[in-house]
Amino acid sequence: MFSDKTIKALKWIITLLNSKNIPYQISGGFAAKVYGSTRELNDIDIEIPEDRFKDIMLEAKPYIVEEFQHHKNDKWDCMTMVLEYEGQIIDLSGAYEAKVSNKERTEWIEIPADFSKVNKVEVAGMEINVAGPEDMIDYKQYLDGDHQLDDIEAVKKYVAKK
């Protein structure tokens, strides 16, 4: 399901977050694959509280591709930092102040992470926090691209099996 480089990067970042007691959730394509999506994985998307980025800066510094900053484009408005660990991109985003634009680009929708709804899932022998399926469906409906529709369908099938 996941490449060796993805598993190495996952283990590194989750170990780091856990060592600092930082709440997190994995979302995006990685979470969709956990729920059954078969599409190609681009990166590992992880949300953490905005005020906790400072707690990982020292350990993350050698892997920073884009510094911790406010990121806003036509789809996203959030705090982000991009890391690359042994060839795998890790996108860290702020958990509470994130917004996504609707498809018409006429409205910003707040999508705060709700860590109480994470699913604890085992991947490569590690227990990780994955965004809840309802939250995944909720925010992915605003995003463009056939892969988003594929992700939503996979997550809906996962929910229907439960």
Side-chain angles (χ1 to χ4, degrees):
M1 179 187 315
F2 298 107
S3 71
D4 289 343
K5 74 176 183 179
T6 299
I7 295 301
K8 278 184 175 179
L10 176 72
K11 287 182 176 184
W12 171 76
I13 192 66
I14 298 307
T15 299
L16 175 58
L17 295 173
N18 286 339
S19 74
K20 305 288 184 178
N21 294 314
I22 297 174
Y24 73 90
Q25 70 176 16
I26 297 175
S27 61
F30 191 102
K33 285 182 80 61
V34 167
Y35 292 130
S37 178
T38 58
R39 73 170 171 101
E40 191 77 23
L41 182 70
N42 297 320
D43 54 24
I44 302 172
D45 295 302
I46 304 176
E47 288 85 41
I48 67 173
E50 288 82 355
D51 65 347
R52 299 300 304 272
F53 278 82
K54 67 184 181 324
D55 297 334
I56 63 168
M57 288 299 187
L58 182 64
E59 293 88 346
K61 186 173 181 157
Y63 309 104
I64 295 175
V65 175
E66 292 180 23
E67 298 284 339
F68 178 62
Q69 63 186 322
H70 179 242
H71 172 80
K72 186 173 183 181
N73 62 19
D74 63 334
K75 295 180 184 179
W76 294 100
D77 183 359
C78 56
M79 298 302 294
T80 64
M81 181 168 65
V82 179
L83 310 174
E84 184 174 349
Y85 185 86
E86 297 193 18
Q88 178 63 62
I89 297 295
I90 303 168
D91 284 335
L92 294 171
S93 300
Y96 300 128
E97 299 170 17
K99 296 176 190 161
V100 65
S101 176
N102 64 0
K103 289 180 184 174
E104 297 77 27
R105 307 295 181 247
T106 58
E107 179 183 1
W108 287 102
I109 297 99
E110 293 182 5
I111 53 165
D114 185 346
F115 296 125
S116 71
K117 293 182 180 178
V118 299
N119 276 345
K120 295 199 177 286
V121 178
E122 186 177 318
V123 174
M126 292 185 70
E127 185 177 81
I128 61 171
N129 299 334
V130 177
E134 292 81 11
D135 289 347
M136 291 283 296
I137 293 167
D138 187 45
Y139 89 83
K140 281 191 165 282
Q141 70 180 319
Y142 299 112
L143 302 176
D144 298 323
D146 290 341
H147 67 288
Q148 305 297 352
L149 299 175
D150 293 343
D151 288 353
I152 290 170
E153 286 308 308
V155 175
K156 284 181 177 178
K157 286 179 185 175
Y158 173 89
V159 170
K161 289 180 188 175
K162 291 292 170 179

